Every structure is written in C-alpha cells, then in structure tokens.
Amino acid sequence: MAPNLSDLLISISRRKNLVNQRLDFGDVCLVCDKSLSESMFFKQYHVCEHCNFHYTMDARQRINWISDPDTFQESDKLVYSADPLEFKTRLTYKKKLSGDSERTGLTEAAVTGVCEIGGVPAQLIVLDFGFMGGSMGCVVGEKVALALERSYKKKIACVAVITSGGNRFQEGVLSLMQMAKTVTVANQLKTKGIPFISILSNPSTGHTFASFPNLSDIILGEPGAMVGLQSLQVVRKESLDVLPDSANTSEFHLKHGMIDAVVERPKLKETVSNILDLLSSEYKISRKVNRSTRSTRKVSINKLNNNVWDIVQIARHDSRPTARGYIGKIITNFVEVHGDRYYGDDPTIITGVGYLGGQTVAIVGQEKHKTSPNETLKNAKTTPEGFRKVQRMVELASKFSLPLITLVDSSGPKLGIDSEERGLANTIATTISKMVNLESPSVSVIIGEGGSEAALPLIVTNKTLMLQNSILSVVSPEGAAEMIFQDPKKAKDVAESLKITAIDCYELGIIDKIVLEPSGGSHNNIDDAARILSREIIKELSMIQSLPKRKLVSERQKRFRNVGEYSSYFKQAIYNEVRYLKELVKR
Ligand SMILES: [Zn+2]
C-alpha cells in the first residue's frame, strides 16, 4: 500500500532530523523497512529502490545533483533572516533561525545561484525543507525575487526546486506579501520568452506553491510528493469524504491538470535539461531549393479516388496511424506536457514540444484511443479541458516563438451538460481566437477524422494540409442521416452530399494541399506515411517561417475572413447571383 505521505512526513519532522541521521548507510527505509545499506541508488538519488519513496534532499544535495559539476555560483549568500515583527516569542523565532542555520549550514530556506544544466546556463532557486520547513519569509521572498530578476536581466532560464511546507507565521503579513512580490517578478519572464521550470518535491504546499512556481512554463512533480495549497491533514479536515492517501499528491495534480508530468528523480535532470535545450534552441529550418532536383509534379486530383464511403472507412480504420503514432516517428526529444492548469487533463489531446527537422516546434494532436471501450476516448471527443490544454500550447508557442503544428483527428467535441458546465462553447471560441492571433507560424494537418467544432479551432492556421484519405465535416455522415432520414444506416447515401473528402475541401478552398498516402491508406505503410507527412510539414513551415510576426497574423486573419471566397463553389454561387441580377435588370 502507498505510504500515507502526509502522516509520514509529520512523523519524520517530529523526530528532529531523524531522516538524515537514520538514512545513513546501514539503515532501513522508513516506509518499507527494507535495507538501504550499500544502496548506491539511494546514495545517489535519495530514493528507496524497493518502494520508490522519494526522500527529501537538502538544498546542497539538490544543487550538486542538478547542476553540472563545478558550475554553481551562489548569489546573495550573506542575506540573513531577521525577526522583522519582533515576534512575541521572538527568542524562540531567533533561536529557531539560528538552530536551523547551524544544522543546515544555510542562512535561509532558499539557496540561489547560476549554474549550467546539461550545458545550458540557468538560474537556480532551491528551497530547503530543513530550514523552517522551506517556508517563504521575507528573505526567501527577496532571494527568489532577486534570482528571477537575474534570470530576466541575463536572459537565462530559471529552474526552481520547491520543498516548502507552510507559512512563516513568525513574519506575519510580511510573509504573506512575498507571494505578490515573487509573482510580480515571475511575470517578467513571460515578456522575454525566458524558460521557467519548477520541480515540486515533497512537500510543495502553502504560500510557496500558490505563488511563483505555479507561473512556470513547465511544472514537474516528483512521485508521491505532497502538492497543494494545504497539507493533506487540512484538506481532510475540510472534506466530508474520506480522502485516500493519494489525495493532494503530484499524481493527483497531474490527473487534475495542474502539473505537466510526474518524473522520477533519476530521470529529472535529463528531463529538465531536454526541456531547456528545446526552449532555448535558436535553430530554424531554412529553405534551400535546388531547381534541378525540385519536383514539379503536382497532385492531379482527378486521378485520386474520391469514393466518399471508401474514404470514410479508411479515415476511421482501426489501424490508421494516430497522432501519437506520427509524433513518435517525426518528432525527436518529444516532451509531453499535460493539463489545462484549471480542471483536468484531456487524454485525447496530446501537447508538447520536440524537434522537427532539427528545429523546436510545439505540437498539438488529437489522439483516438482506438481500443478503448470508452466512446469519448475511442473517438477523441475534445472536452473543455482539451481546448484549454490546446490554448496553453498556443501560449507556449507564442512565448518562445515556436511554430505550432496541429494534427487533427476527432469525431467531434464531447457533448453533454457536464461539458456545458465547464464552458465548452467558450473554450472553442477562445481557442479559435488564440489560434488566429498566434504570433508564430502554424501548420495543421487533418490526419483522419476532422469532426466539426473539435477540428475547426485546430485548423485555424497559416497552412492546412489534409491526408488523402481524411475527412472534414460539420456533421458525421451518420449524424446527417439521422437528421434527414431518422436512420443512421443511410449514412452512405448522405456522405456524398456532405463534401467531406480532401478533394472536396481543396475545391472548397478550405485546405491548401492534399498529402498523398501510401497505396490503400496510411495504415498499409506507417513509416512511409510518416516520412511523407514530415516532409510536407517541413516544406510548408520553411515557406512561412521567415515572414514577420505581423504578416503571419494578418495573413491568417485574411485567410479566415475570406474563407471559401475564391473556391469553385463560391464562384458558382456568385455567378448565379450575378446572372439573376442581370435578368432582373433586363426585365
Ligand atoms: Zn522503501
């Protein structure tokens, strides 16, 4: 059974530094009672290899573990805590401060400085639970603010490692104000596109959690770490239900969309380093056209199969590659981020960053969980949380000037009163709005089923491609048959009139290009399908990413203002109108 982290933590803290005393070699794990003696794994990571319990690391251990050797240079080392309020039992507070200082060798609960992580320069903020429970008093707030300002001025990434258990009540309302101070400064990082990553260790609660770490671009949690504004004890007191031990942990917050990933400590440095690399990368795909080898072949759409029902079957084929399948093949160093930081994490929306052709891109993919018995997952029906998750990625793309690639494959939005309650229509509208105003290049590809309002926000991009055997529809053929004939079985008869194939969409002027698939459909040769897709996305990207930000936005706005205007369908409609008017005039 999972340990009750909250109770365990309290019992550990009451044993007066027992963790450090007891967990020397020759000791046993406080959780599983297994021996930790001679465990190199424990020595390196402070993690029990038997039960995976992540023990608290002090600030110095953290710094040695996360920064590249001999690169850490501490800042503001001599800033000491005072007793600003001369707290009634001030001797106790002063005594506590000097006791913690003596024991930890620190002057405060925050240690800050500049280092390199995986070769990338970073400003480090590390809190130490051993010093006043890592709480945010005036000095901690000031050191955090100074560190964030240094990150801003030097234009280097900021990484914060949080272990903070509560509030510095001895500093009263001055302690409370540190939340506003750190948030004010953290806001600056947004304006300059500076990466900010927080790691939540056990525990990450109180004023600290409810301030600067929550504004990070990426929030990683350690397994089992207690995370939340309140400790589990307080949450339990306020709750009418009996809460499980897992309530208010990293895993709980991941499920509820508040953090991006739970990463085990041995993989944390590598993950942070990869994210820093991706978000600091300055390489762009450049366009090199060799005229002699340039293909002049154009897809002759007349020669493509446009049998609608065949295409519908292929678009929904059980083995048709999904967004995750393509991402796995065309994106390297992919870091998936989770959640909408509001309510939940929609598993049918995959978001993250990775390299495409050596350049960092932001990705959004609608993922059908084809074998799931759950209808919503199986058909990738997008929830309000899913749309908010997309919006987070749009904001990330904007902040770091990354191209945004979307892969569309959903039968439609998740309908029902629960979705309405959580703002389905609002999230659709605001996603469209953010997509149209994104200040970086964007390319969308319909890879399977482009279902109405779930697909639309994701295709509000500079370029829209469509795989040969994909469909884009305002209503599914079954839905249309139900409306017209009250019989979904007549879907095949209705499909043709809906104009849902790639050829139809191309002729309607909705998409820019049809991407060919291997013979019989992408499921027949997934590697080849991915290779062609990657080539086409890179080609489109290389053509638009040299455009200035303003032009990217204005061209996108123009495109959707005038959508359909120049298509053959609209030409015919206008021609009919003109003819009608001419006849009127003649009379
Ligand atoms: Zn253990």
Side-chain angles (χ1 to χ4, degrees):
M1 209 179 110
N4 180 335
L5 299 173
S6 186
D7 293 343
L8 183 74
L9 196 82
I10 284 179
S11 72
I12 290 170
S13 66
R14 282 180 186 155
R15 286 180 209 167
K16 283 193 179 173
N17 204 27
L18 204 57
V19 176
N20 288 336
Q21 286 170 14
R22 277 198 58 181
L23 295 179
D24 285 338
F25 283 85
D27 257 324
V28 294
C29 174
L30 290 170
V31 179
C32 70
D33 278 339
K34 294 232 170 79
S35 170
L36 294 172
S37 61
E38 293 169 33
S39 166
M40 288 309 290
F41 190 77
F42 179 74
K43 193 177 180 190
Q44 196 175 357
Y45 301 115
H46 284 236
V47 175
C48 172
E49 61 192 315
H50 308 288
C51 68
N52 202 32
F53 187 78
H54 283 51
Y55 285 92
T56 305
M57 266 181 155
D58 68 36
R60 299 285 173 210
Q61 287 164 337
R62 279 281 176 189
I63 291 163
N64 289 338
W65 160 82
I66 200 165
S67 54
D68 294 348
D70 300 325
T71 59
F72 182 73
Q73 289 177 312
E74 190 170 348
S75 322
D76 310 312
K77 197 176 175 178
L78 298 174
V79 185
Y80 283 83
S81 266
D83 187 3
L85 299 187
E86 297 195 348
F87 202 72
K88 258 187 183 174
T89 52
R90 65 184 185 280
L91 283 175
T92 314
Y93 182 37
K94 278 189 174 164
K95 209 172 163 186
K96 174 93 179 104
L97 285 173
S98 68
D100 282 6
S101 181
E102 203 174 302
R103 187 164 44 79
T104 58
L106 305 174
T107 56
E108 243 306 340
V111 182
T112 59
V114 179
C115 70
E116 284 185 16
I117 301 173
V120 181
Q123 170 68 51
L124 206 53
I125 298 169
V126 181
L127 300 187
D128 194 311
F129 187 68
F131 195 108
M132 297 293 298
S135 56
M136 191 156 65
C138 292
V139 170
V140 171
E142 186 60 24
K143 284 182 91 169
V144 168
L146 286 169
L148 288 164
E149 276 168 351
R150 214 171 287 122
S151 167
Y152 175 78
K153 280 179 199 150
K154 292 189 172 180
K155 287 191 187 174
I156 56 170
C158 185
V159 176
V161 186
I162 310 301
T163 38
S164 179
N167 315 322
R168 190 80 64 99
F169 63 87
Q170 297 91 335
E171 295 187 20
V173 76
L174 283 173
S175 157
L176 184 70
M177 300 315 283
Q178 305 311 309
M179 297 170 74
K181 180 194 275 185
T182 55
V183 166
T184 304
V185 186
N187 270 347
Q188 292 181 336
L189 302 190
K190 285 188 188 166
T191 61
K192 260 195 194 172
I194 296 167
F196 180 21
I197 303 171
S198 283
I199 298 166
L200 307 179
S201 189
N202 193 27
S204 292
T205 57
H207 290 170
T208 311
F209 179 60
S211 58
F212 66 97
N214 248 303
L215 298 183
S216 316
D217 300 306
I218 307 286
I219 305 178
L220 307 174
E222 287 194 334
M226 196 201 304
V227 174
L229 177 63
Q230 313 150 81
S231 70
L232 185 58
Q233 273 71 29
V234 181
V235 178
R236 273 188 177 141
K237 268 186 209 156
E238 297 290 327
S239 176
L240 297 174
D241 301 321
V242 178
L243 297 179
D245 291 341
S246 57
N248 250 22
T249 56
S250 289
E251 289 80 356
F252 173 89
H253 280 268
L254 176 66
K255 189 176 157 196
H256 290 276
M258 304 301 169
I259 69 172
D260 291 298
V262 175
V263 185
E264 299 200 350
R265 201 174 283 158
K267 288 190 180 145
L268 249 177
K269 182 175 177 180
E270 177 192 325
T271 306
V272 170
S273 164
N274 189 19
I275 297 169
L276 290 179
D277 243 343
L278 284 162
L279 297 183
S280 315
S281 172
E282 289 170 347
Y283 303 109
K284 267 189 179 179
I285 299 160
S286 71
R287 186 157 174 77
K288 185 184 168 196
V289 183
N290 184 339
R291 289 187 186 279
S292 59
T293 57
R294 188 173 59 177
S295 167
T296 53
R297 188 172 66 96
K298 281 202 171 168
V299 179
S300 170
I301 57 172
N302 298 330
K303 289 187 181 165
L304 298 179
N305 173 15
N306 200 27
N307 182 315
V308 184
W309 201 242
D310 283 356
I311 291 173
V312 169
Q313 302 314 309
I314 300 175
R316 294 172 175 173
H317 197 284
D318 280 348
S319 309
R320 189 166 176 82
T322 61
R324 194 176 288 285
Y326 284 119
I327 291 170
K329 290 196 184 291
I330 69 177
I331 303 292
T332 52
N333 291 39
F334 182 62
V335 175
E336 185 170 356
V337 301
H338 289 271
D340 63 348
R341 299 249 177 117
Y342 184 75
Y343 184 83
D345 179 38
D346 184 341
T348 71
I349 296 281
I350 302 172
T351 57
V353 285
Y355 293 122
L356 173 70
Q359 173 181 351
T360 308
V361 293
I363 316 263
V364 169
Q366 285 172 319
E367 175 71 4
K368 283 188 175 175
H369 298 250
K370 299 213 176 195
T371 54
S372 172
N374 179 318
E375 240 351 79
T376 302
L377 296 178
K378 191 178 170 69
N379 293 309
K381 293 187 173 174
T382 312
T383 61
E385 293 70 58
F387 287 116
R388 280 193 292 262
K389 195 172 171 182
V390 174
Q391 292 184 19
R392 267 196 69 205
M393 201 39 60
V394 177
E395 280 161 14
L396 197 93
S398 177
K399 175 176 171 182
F400 295 104
S401 302
L402 303 176
L404 179 73
I405 314 292
T406 65
L407 303 177
V408 180
D409 192 11
S410 161
S411 73
K414 169 81 171 77
L415 304 176
I417 193 65
D418 51 341
S419 286
E420 298 287 354
E421 279 172 353
R422 302 199 305 276
L424 181 62
N426 175 276
T427 54
I428 291 172
T430 47
T431 307
I432 298 171
S433 166
K434 282 181 194 293
M435 287 289 286
V436 82
N437 289 324
L438 170 65
E439 291 189 331
S440 352
S442 52
V443 177
S444 54
V445 189
I446 300 161
I447 58 167
E449 217 176 344
S452 62
E453 302 91 349
L456 180 79
L458 271 63
I459 60 170
V460 181
T461 46
N462 290 100
K463 295 283 176 187
T464 303
L465 315 180
M466 198 162 166
L467 293 192
Q468 184 186 347
N469 295 303
S470 295
I471 53 172
L472 176 63
S473 59
V474 68
V475 59
S476 69
E478 290 78 2
E482 174 75 50
M483 279 191 272
I484 300 165
F485 302 111
Q486 288 76 51
D487 182 5
K489 283 181 191 146
K490 294 199 171 166
K492 193 175 172 180
D493 306 334
V494 180
E496 187 113 6
S497 323
L498 288 172
K499 299 288 176 203
I500 57 178
T501 66
I503 292 177
D504 296 329
C505 292
Y506 185 76
E507 287 183 338
L508 287 168
I510 291 168
I511 62 161
D512 298 285
K513 194 170 192 179
I514 299 170
V515 178
L516 294 181
E517 294 184 26
S519 175
S522 296
H523 58 283
N524 284 331
N525 190 338
I526 297 174
D527 284 339
D528 209 33
R531 181 186 61 77
I532 298 168
L533 178 64
S534 164
R535 187 190 63 201
E536 294 299 332
I537 297 174
I538 290 173
K539 200 189 280 178
E540 295 301 326
L541 201 56
S542 69
M543 283 194 281
I544 53 171
Q545 70 176 354
S546 55
L547 296 174
K549 285 180 180 180
R550 240 185 327 170
K551 182 109 174 143
L552 282 168
V553 178
S554 68
E555 290 212 339
R556 207 183 294 125
Q557 286 170 342
K558 203 168 123 193
R559 171 186 166 98
F560 290 95
R561 165 62 187 82
N562 299 333
V563 69
E565 197 173 274
Y566 304 112
S567 73
S568 54
Y569 174 81
F570 275 84
K571 269 183 199 156
Q572 188 61 39
I574 289 166
Y575 175 74
N576 290 344
E577 183 79 11
V578 170
R579 199 173 53 183
Y580 174 71
L581 288 172
K582 273 183 182 169
E583 277 169 15
L584 265 187
V585 171
K586 267 186 206 164
R587 277 185 229 156

